[in-house]
């Protein structure tokens, strides 16, 4: 497969979409990003790297961090995790309060904010130094010590995190948060503030494409069966209230974030990360989604 040629073709074909969508303004620091950035990095399971555009520039991975926190928590609790959070698409916006109240404090899935806050709670309970240990876990995936939190982004979100505070309080009222609301939210905001380049993101998430073995030392962190389950969750719940559309157009499991990043995997073939800050109305990167649609069209490979 000539990925270099395919990425060049994609770069040309997404140009007409360069001004579509808007940069997220829900977190002040993120609204300051140059909207015209575009980067893509693809790493095959044979560890061949292909990239284009601003693929070596750091961006805020935001909700993409939820697949990493879930993977870490899955190591501690295994299947017991599902007693506290479900595995169904929510069909609602990612920060919706109503469904959580109606369903008595059990979030639909780990990728909506309520679910990710429960996962954050599990990590706070199980880690000695939650923020440091989580960062080490992430750094170890791609053996990349330059991966870090962006404190400005975390604090900027903390100032306006009223809905997440509301979700955490509802969870607490139903007994589905074991630690203090403040402590869990602090961890959650830092987790979301992690910055990576497309290359670092693709290499960190390589284990989803490689049956649970990491890019760094081919170290097994989850079993093949666990990876199958996490990939299934990404397929059905990874793209906010647009997961169906993403499956229809792209045909790969993955996860997006409001920083404009998308990570997607083709099991046993590759992990790919894109970054372009302009988002559509559902919160997914316009150019990122288009680029991935072109990728599966041009390669004639998707999971379907
Ligand atoms: N930190 C953001 C929030 O909780 C993440 C949003 C996202 O990327 O979906 O609202």
């Amino acid at each position: 497969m000539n990925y270099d040629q395919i990425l060049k073709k994609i770069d040309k074909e997404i140009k007409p979409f360069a001004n579509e969508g808007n940069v997220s303004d829900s977190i002040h620091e993120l609204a300051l990003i140059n909207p015209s950035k575009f980067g893509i990095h693809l790493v095959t399971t044979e560890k061949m790297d292909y990239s284009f555009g601003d693929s070596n520039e750091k961006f805020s991975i935001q909700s993409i961090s939820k697949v990493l926190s879930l993977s870490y928590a899955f190591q501690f609790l295994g299947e017991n995790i599902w007693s506290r959070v479900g595995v169904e698409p929510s069909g609602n916006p990612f920060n919706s309060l109503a469904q959580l109240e109606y369903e008595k404090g059990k979030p639909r899935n780990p990728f909506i904010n309520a679910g990710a806050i429960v996962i954050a709670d599990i990590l706070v309970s199980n880690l000695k130094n939650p923020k440091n240990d989580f960062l080490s876990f992430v750094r170890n995936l791609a053996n990349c010590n330059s991966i870090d939190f962006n404190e400005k982004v975390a604090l900027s979100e903390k100032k306006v995190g009223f809905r997440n505070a509301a979700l955490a309080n509802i969870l607490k009222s139903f007994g589905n948060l074991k630690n203090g609301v403040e402590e869990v939210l602090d961890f959650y905001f830092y987790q979301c503030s992690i910055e990576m380049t497309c290359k670092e993101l693709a290499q960190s998430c390589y284990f989803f494409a490689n049956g649970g073995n990491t890019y760094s030392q081919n170290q097994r962190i989850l079993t093949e069966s666990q990876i199958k389950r996490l990939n299934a969750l990404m397929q059905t719940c990874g793209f906010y209230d647009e997961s169906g559309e993403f499956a229809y157009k792209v045909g790969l499991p993955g996860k997006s974030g409001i920083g404009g990043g998308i990570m997607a995997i083709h099991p046993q073939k590759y992990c790919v990360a894109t970054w372009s800050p302009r988002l559509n109305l559902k919160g997914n990167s316009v150019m990122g989604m288009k680029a991935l649609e072109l990728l599966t069209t041009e390669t004639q490979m998707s999971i379907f």
Side-chain angles (χ1 to χ4, degrees):
M1 189 68 63
N2 192 338
Y3 286 113
D4 264 331
Q5 210 170 39
I6 289 172
L7 294 195
K8 275 191 193 119
K9 188 159 186 214
I10 290 173
D11 186 55
K12 239 190 231 152
E13 292 190 16
I14 56 168
K15 289 238 154 63
F17 301 90
N19 292 318
E20 253 181 51
N22 291 302
V23 176
S24 169
D25 58 3
S26 64
I27 301 174
H28 178 69
E29 277 296 314
L30 296 185
L32 307 175
I33 305 296
N34 176 351
S36 57
K37 296 284 177 187
F38 175 79
I40 183 165
H41 188 101
L42 183 149
V43 56
T44 67
T45 44
E46 290 88 30
K47 297 193 180 171
M48 296 295 288
D49 290 280
Y50 303 89
S51 56
F52 209 89
D54 303 307
S55 60
N56 273 318
E57 220 171 289
K58 301 256 188 197
F59 64 93
S60 194
I61 69 167
Q62 290 296 317
S63 274
I64 304 174
S65 66
K66 292 171 183 173
V67 296
L68 300 175
S69 57
L70 175 63
S71 301
Y72 203 12
F74 213 20
Q75 286 187 338
F76 295 115
L77 290 196
E79 290 295 308
N80 293 329
I81 233 172
W82 312 124
S83 64
R84 295 185 56 188
V85 54
V87 293
E88 294 295 340
S90 80
N92 275 302
F94 69 101
N95 55 6
S96 167
L97 296 162
Q99 193 171 50
L100 186 63
E101 163 77 3
Y102 182 73
E103 294 183 353
K104 302 196 168 24
K106 183 170 177 183
R108 276 284 174 107
N109 68 66
F111 299 149
I112 53 173
N113 282 11
I117 291 169
V118 169
I119 300 301
D121 184 54
I122 290 170
L123 291 180
V124 169
S125 294
N126 283 278
L127 300 174
K128 245 197 188 137
N129 300 299
K131 285 193 249 180
N132 280 347
D133 294 353
F134 180 64
L135 192 57
S136 300
F137 169 75
V138 174
R139 284 176 170 175
N140 182 49
L141 295 173
N143 198 16
C144 178
N145 285 335
S146 74
I147 294 173
D148 216 335
F149 300 121
N150 180 327
E151 192 152 41
K152 259 191 176 173
V153 171
L155 298 179
S156 171
E157 180 167 12
K158 200 177 248 187
K159 271 195 205 148
V160 293
F162 306 115
R163 289 194 78 85
N164 286 324
L167 289 168
N169 277 292
I170 296 176
L171 289 166
K172 188 81 185 166
S173 77
F174 281 106
N176 200 6
L177 211 67
K178 309 298 173 199
N179 300 282
V181 165
E182 294 260 316
E183 190 183 3
V184 176
L185 285 177
D186 179 67
F187 177 86
Y188 174 75
F189 294 142
Y190 271 82
Q191 163 201 323
C192 290
S193 82
I194 285 185
E195 291 187 328
M196 291 192 203
T197 66
C198 290
K199 182 181 183 182
E200 289 163 358
L201 182 58
Q203 293 182 351
S204 299
C205 292
Y206 170 96
F207 69 95
F208 290 113
N210 193 38
N213 292 310
T214 63
Y215 180 85
S216 52
Q217 295 129 17
N218 240 15
Q219 181 191 350
R220 173 169 291 287
I221 57 163
L222 290 170
T223 66
E224 286 198 18
S225 160
Q226 287 175 318
I227 286 293
K228 175 185 78 178
R229 298 188 196 291
L230 297 191
N231 288 349
L233 267 172
M234 284 196 251
Q235 185 73 63
T236 51
C237 312
F239 295 90
Y240 307 115
D241 198 11
E242 201 175 29
S243 297
E245 182 95 0
F246 192 88
Y248 181 79
K249 287 189 169 156
V250 179
L252 298 176
K255 183 74 197 86
S256 57
I258 57 166
I262 298 181
M263 177 280 294
I265 60 124
H266 193 309
Q268 309 307 333
K269 288 202 163 48
Y270 61 75
C271 178
V272 60
T274 61
W275 172 50
S276 173
R278 286 189 192 273
L279 309 180
N280 65 20
L281 292 175
K282 295 282 171 85
N284 291 311
S285 166
V286 175
M287 279 172 106
M289 210 161 146
K290 193 70 204 167
L292 295 174
E293 182 182 353
L294 287 164
L295 176 65
T296 51
T297 304
E298 290 296 329
T299 55
Q300 300 185 337
M301 292 187 317
S302 86
I303 65 160
F304 297 110

